[in-house]
Amino acid sequence: MTTTTQDADALRVLHALEDGRSSVRLRAALAVGTAPDPRFVDKLVDRCAIEPEFFVRDTLTWALTRHPVSMTLPGLIREVRSERPQARSQALHTLSKIGDRRAWPAITRTLLSDTDDEVARSAWRAAVVLVPEGEEPALATVLATQLGRGERETQLSLSRALVALGDVIVPALRAATTAPDPDVRTHALATEQLLRDPDAGFEFAIEEAKRVVALGGSGQGGR
Protein backbone atom coordinates (compact mmCIF):
# COMPACT_ATOMS: atom_id res chain seq x y z
CA MET A 1 0.00 0.00 0.00
CA THR A 2 1.39 3.40 -0.98
CA THR A 3 1.79 6.28 1.44
CA THR A 4 -0.84 8.25 -0.46
CA THR A 5 -3.36 5.42 -0.10
CA GLN A 6 -2.56 5.07 3.61
CA ASP A 7 -3.08 8.79 4.13
CA ALA A 8 -6.41 8.67 2.29
CA ASP A 9 -7.55 5.73 4.43
CA ALA A 10 -6.53 7.56 7.59
CA LEU A 11 -8.47 10.64 6.55
CA ARG A 12 -11.57 8.53 5.90
CA VAL A 13 -11.36 7.01 9.37
CA LEU A 14 -10.82 10.40 11.00
CA HIS A 15 -13.86 11.79 9.21
CA ALA A 16 -15.88 8.70 10.16
CA LEU A 17 -15.23 9.42 13.84
CA GLU A 18 -17.31 12.58 13.35
CA ASP A 19 -20.10 10.98 11.32
CA GLY A 20 -23.65 11.74 12.43
CA ARG A 21 -24.41 8.01 12.69
CA SER A 22 -23.22 6.32 15.88
CA SER A 23 -22.81 2.99 14.06
CA VAL A 24 -20.30 4.59 11.67
CA ARG A 25 -18.40 6.21 14.55
CA LEU A 26 -18.32 2.88 16.37
CA ARG A 27 -16.87 1.08 13.34
CA ALA A 28 -14.27 3.82 12.94
CA ALA A 29 -13.19 3.53 16.57
CA LEU A 30 -12.94 -0.25 16.19
CA ALA A 31 -10.82 0.20 13.08
CA VAL A 32 -8.44 2.57 14.86
CA GLY A 33 -8.03 0.16 17.76
CA THR A 34 -7.49 -2.79 15.43
CA ALA A 35 -4.76 -0.99 13.48
CA PRO A 36 -3.20 1.55 15.89
CA ASP A 37 -1.68 4.62 14.30
CA PRO A 38 -0.02 7.54 16.13
CA ARG A 39 -1.87 9.96 13.86
CA PHE A 40 -5.16 8.97 15.50
CA VAL A 41 -4.23 9.57 19.14
CA ASP A 42 -5.07 13.27 19.40
CA LYS A 43 -8.33 12.76 17.53
CA LEU A 44 -9.34 9.89 19.80
CA VAL A 45 -8.66 11.96 22.91
CA ASP A 46 -10.55 14.96 21.51
CA ARG A 47 -13.49 12.81 20.44
CA CYS A 48 -13.82 11.28 23.92
CA ALA A 49 -14.67 14.74 25.24
CA ILE A 50 -17.72 15.17 23.01
CA GLU A 51 -18.89 11.70 21.92
CA PRO A 52 -22.54 11.35 23.07
CA GLU A 53 -22.90 7.55 22.85
CA PHE A 54 -21.61 5.40 25.72
CA PHE A 55 -20.62 2.40 23.58
CA VAL A 56 -18.71 4.59 21.16
CA ARG A 57 -16.92 6.34 24.03
CA ASP A 58 -15.95 2.99 25.50
CA THR A 59 -14.59 1.87 22.15
CA LEU A 60 -12.63 5.11 21.84
CA THR A 61 -11.08 4.33 25.23
CA TRP A 62 -10.26 0.81 24.06
CA ALA A 63 -8.65 2.21 20.91
CA LEU A 64 -6.49 4.52 23.03
CA THR A 65 -5.33 1.60 25.18
CA ARG A 66 -4.06 -0.05 22.00
CA HIS A 67 -1.57 2.77 21.41
CA PRO A 68 1.75 3.24 23.22
CA VAL A 69 1.34 4.87 26.64
CA SER A 70 4.03 7.42 25.78
CA MET A 71 1.70 8.75 23.08
CA THR A 72 -1.59 8.69 24.99
CA LEU A 73 -0.59 9.78 28.49
CA PRO A 74 0.20 13.48 27.79
CA GLY A 75 -3.13 14.14 26.09
CA LEU A 76 -5.16 12.29 28.71
CA ILE A 77 -3.45 14.11 31.56
CA ARG A 78 -4.21 17.38 29.81
CA GLU A 79 -7.87 16.37 29.51
CA VAL A 80 -8.35 15.69 33.23
CA ARG A 81 -7.87 19.45 33.67
CA SER A 82 -10.46 20.31 31.02
CA GLU A 83 -13.44 22.54 31.78
CA ARG A 84 -15.71 19.91 30.16
CA PRO A 85 -16.94 17.33 32.66
CA GLN A 86 -17.16 14.61 30.01
CA ALA A 87 -13.57 15.26 28.96
CA ARG A 88 -12.40 14.87 32.55
CA SER A 89 -14.52 11.81 33.19
CA GLN A 90 -13.57 9.92 30.04
CA ALA A 91 -9.88 10.76 30.37
CA LEU A 92 -9.92 9.43 33.93
CA HIS A 93 -11.75 6.31 32.78
CA THR A 94 -9.14 5.75 30.08
CA LEU A 95 -6.27 6.27 32.51
CA SER A 96 -7.80 3.62 34.78
CA LYS A 97 -7.91 1.20 31.85
CA ILE A 98 -4.31 1.92 30.87
CA GLY A 99 -3.20 1.51 34.47
CA ASP A 100 0.14 3.30 34.17
CA ARG A 101 1.05 4.75 37.57
CA ARG A 102 2.92 7.64 36.01
CA ALA A 103 -0.53 9.19 35.75
CA TRP A 104 -1.00 9.16 39.53
CA PRO A 105 0.05 12.81 40.11
CA ALA A 106 -2.84 13.86 37.84
CA ILE A 107 -5.38 12.35 40.27
CA THR A 108 -5.74 15.41 42.45
CA ARG A 109 -7.90 15.98 45.50
CA THR A 110 -9.88 18.42 43.35
CA LEU A 111 -10.78 15.62 40.95
CA LEU A 112 -11.59 13.22 43.78
CA SER A 113 -14.10 15.77 45.07
CA ASP A 114 -15.24 17.07 41.67
CA THR A 115 -18.70 18.63 41.79
CA ASP A 116 -19.77 16.49 38.83
CA ASP A 117 -20.70 13.04 40.15
CA GLU A 118 -19.61 11.21 37.00
CA VAL A 119 -16.19 12.87 37.08
CA ALA A 120 -15.77 12.08 40.77
CA ARG A 121 -16.78 8.45 40.23
CA SER A 122 -14.25 8.10 37.40
CA ALA A 123 -11.60 9.71 39.60
CA TRP A 124 -12.32 7.28 42.44
CA ARG A 125 -11.97 4.28 40.13
CA ALA A 126 -8.78 5.63 38.58
CA ALA A 127 -7.27 6.45 41.95
CA VAL A 128 -7.73 2.90 43.24
CA VAL A 129 -5.99 1.52 40.15
CA LEU A 130 -3.13 4.03 40.07
CA VAL A 131 -2.36 4.66 43.75
CA PRO A 132 1.30 3.85 44.52
CA GLU A 133 2.07 1.25 47.14
CA GLY A 134 2.06 2.80 50.59
CA GLU A 135 -0.23 5.70 49.72
CA GLU A 136 -3.47 3.78 50.13
CA PRO A 137 -4.22 5.06 53.67
CA ALA A 138 -3.89 8.68 52.55
CA LEU A 139 -6.16 7.98 49.58
CA ALA A 140 -8.70 6.32 51.87
CA THR A 141 -8.74 9.44 54.05
CA VAL A 142 -9.48 11.65 51.05
CA LEU A 143 -12.15 9.30 49.68
CA ALA A 144 -13.83 9.18 53.09
CA THR A 145 -14.51 12.92 52.80
CA GLN A 146 -16.99 12.03 50.04
CA LEU A 147 -19.06 9.62 52.14
CA GLY A 148 -22.76 10.43 52.12
CA ARG A 149 -22.53 12.17 48.79
CA GLY A 150 -25.06 11.84 45.98
CA GLU A 151 -27.61 9.23 45.02
CA ARG A 152 -27.36 5.49 45.57
CA GLU A 153 -25.34 4.81 42.40
CA THR A 154 -22.72 7.38 43.38
CA GLN A 155 -22.52 6.04 46.91
CA LEU A 156 -22.10 2.50 45.62
CA SER A 157 -19.21 3.62 43.40
CA LEU A 158 -17.45 5.22 46.36
CA SER A 159 -17.99 2.17 48.57
CA ARG A 160 -16.57 -0.11 45.88
CA ALA A 161 -13.53 2.13 45.49
CA LEU A 162 -12.92 2.16 49.23
CA VAL A 163 -13.41 -1.58 49.64
CA ALA A 164 -10.94 -2.20 46.81
CA LEU A 165 -8.26 -0.56 48.98
CA GLY A 166 -8.73 -3.20 51.68
CA ASP A 167 -8.36 -2.95 55.43
CA VAL A 168 -6.44 0.34 55.26
CA ILE A 169 -9.82 2.07 54.99
CA VAL A 170 -10.97 1.02 58.47
CA PRO A 171 -9.60 4.05 60.42
CA ALA A 172 -11.18 6.50 57.96
CA LEU A 173 -14.51 4.66 58.11
CA ARG A 174 -14.47 4.52 61.91
CA ALA A 175 -13.89 8.27 62.06
CA ALA A 176 -16.77 8.83 59.64
CA THR A 177 -19.19 6.78 61.76
CA THR A 178 -19.10 9.59 64.35
CA ALA A 179 -19.71 12.40 61.84
CA PRO A 180 -22.57 14.85 62.57
CA ASP A 181 -24.25 14.07 59.23
CA PRO A 182 -26.40 10.91 59.46
CA ASP A 183 -25.93 10.26 55.72
CA VAL A 184 -22.17 10.16 56.22
CA ARG A 185 -22.53 7.79 59.19
CA THR A 186 -24.89 5.54 57.25
CA HIS A 187 -22.62 5.36 54.22
CA ALA A 188 -19.55 4.69 56.38
CA LEU A 189 -21.29 1.85 58.22
CA ALA A 190 -22.57 0.34 54.98
CA THR A 191 -19.08 0.46 53.46
CA GLU A 192 -17.62 -1.19 56.55
CA GLN A 193 -20.24 -3.92 56.23
CA LEU A 194 -19.25 -4.48 52.58
CA LEU A 195 -15.60 -4.70 53.60
CA ARG A 196 -16.44 -7.42 56.13
CA ASP A 197 -18.91 -9.22 53.89
CA PRO A 198 -18.64 -8.35 50.16
CA ASP A 199 -21.51 -10.72 49.38
CA ALA A 200 -23.95 -8.85 51.60
CA GLY A 201 -24.95 -6.45 48.83
CA PHE A 202 -25.04 -2.67 49.02
CA GLU A 203 -28.80 -2.33 49.48
CA PHE A 204 -28.76 -4.68 52.46
CA ALA A 205 -25.72 -2.91 53.92
CA ILE A 206 -27.37 0.50 53.57
CA GLU A 207 -30.62 -0.63 55.17
CA GLU A 208 -28.76 -2.19 58.09
CA ALA A 209 -26.69 0.96 58.49
CA LYS A 210 -29.83 3.12 58.47
CA ARG A 211 -31.26 1.00 61.25
CA VAL A 212 -28.12 1.43 63.36
CA VAL A 213 -28.02 5.19 62.79
CA ALA A 214 -31.74 5.55 63.54
CA LEU A 215 -31.11 3.85 66.89
CA GLY A 216 -28.40 6.38 67.62
CA GLY A 217 -25.48 3.98 67.21
CA SER A 218 -22.21 4.15 65.33
CA GLY A 219 -21.82 0.43 64.80
CA GLN A 220 -18.78 0.35 67.09
CA GLY A 221 -20.38 -0.79 70.31
CA GLY A 222 -18.68 -3.66 72.02
CA ARG A 223 -15.61 -3.51 69.79
Side-chain angles (χ1 to χ4, degrees), residues 79-80 84-94 116 118-119 122-123 125:
E79 286 294 279
V80 302
R84 292 185 187 139
Q86 182 174 307
R88 299 196 300 277
S89 175
Q90 198 65 25
L92 287 162
H93 173 66
T94 305
D116 185 283
E118 195 56 44
V119 175
S122 296
R125 290 190 292 266

Side-chain angles (χ1 to χ4, degrees), residues 89-109:
S89 175
Q90 198 65 25
L92 287 162
H93 173 66
T94 305
L95 288 172
S96 73
K97 294 298 183 182
I98 292 172
D100 193 302
R101 285 182 168 172
R102 286 175 292 179
W104 169 249
I107 312 300
T108 62
R109 188 174 186 131

Side-chain angles (χ1 to χ4, degrees), residues 17-67:
L17 287 170
E18 297 180 339
D19 195 275
R21 295 162 292 180
S22 61
S23 60
V24 174
R25 299 196 303 276
L26 180 63
R27 286 197 297 273
L30 284 168
V32 175
T34 302
D37 186 323
R39 293 174 294 180
F40 294 130
V41 170
D42 287 343
K43 182 63 176 179
L44 290 171
V45 172
D46 290 344
R47 187 66 203 174
C48 281
I50 58 174
E51 171 55 51
E53 296 293 331
F54 169 79
F55 289 112
V56 180
R57 287 199 305 275
D58 221 36
T59 307
L60 292 168
T61 281
W62 169 77
L64 281 165
T65 67
R66 299 270 297 158
H67 289 78

Side-chain angles (χ1 to χ4, degrees), residues 84-171:
R84 292 185 187 139
Q86 182 174 307
R88 299 196 300 277
S89 175
Q90 198 65 25
L92 287 162
H93 173 66
T94 305
L95 288 172
S96 73
K97 294 298 183 182
I98 292 172
D100 193 302
R101 285 182 168 172
R102 286 175 292 179
W104 169 249
I107 312 300
T108 62
R109 188 174 186 131
T110 299
L111 284 171
L112 293 170
S113 58
D114 198 285
T115 55
D116 185 283
D117 283 347
E118 195 56 44
V119 175
R121 291 171 63 194
S122 296
W124 301 336
R125 290 190 292 266
V128 168
V129 171
L130 301 174
V131 62
E133 187 175 353
E135 294 195 34
E136 296 91 346
L139 175 59
T141 299
V142 175
L143 292 180
T145 67
Q146 302 303 297
L147 288 165
R149 167 182 175 165
E151 300 299 326
R152 194 59 53 89
E153 188 176 11
T154 298
Q155 293 188 2
L156 174 58
S157 291
L158 180 59
S159 291
R160 283 175 171 167
L162 282 162
V163 168
L165 293 175
D167 289 339
V168 298
I169 69 173
V170 171

Side-chain angles (χ1 to χ4, degrees), residues 15 18 20 26 43-44 63 73 82 95 102 112 130 148 162 171 184 195-196 199 211 213-214 220:
H15 288 149
E18 297 180 339
L26 180 63
K43 182 63 176 179
L44 290 171
L73 214 55
S82 171
L95 288 172
R102 286 175 292 179
L112 293 170
L130 301 174
L162 282 162
V184 172
L195 180 65
R196 291 194 306 265
D199 296 327
R211 181 182 61 81
V213 171
Q220 297 184 32

Side-chain angles (χ1 to χ4, degrees), residues 174 177-178 185 189 192 196 209 212-213 216-223:
R174 292 290 172 85
T177 60
T178 61
R185 299 201 301 275
L189 286 168
E192 194 173 27
R196 291 194 306 265
V212 172
V213 171
S218 64
Q220 297 184 32
R223 296 183 185 177

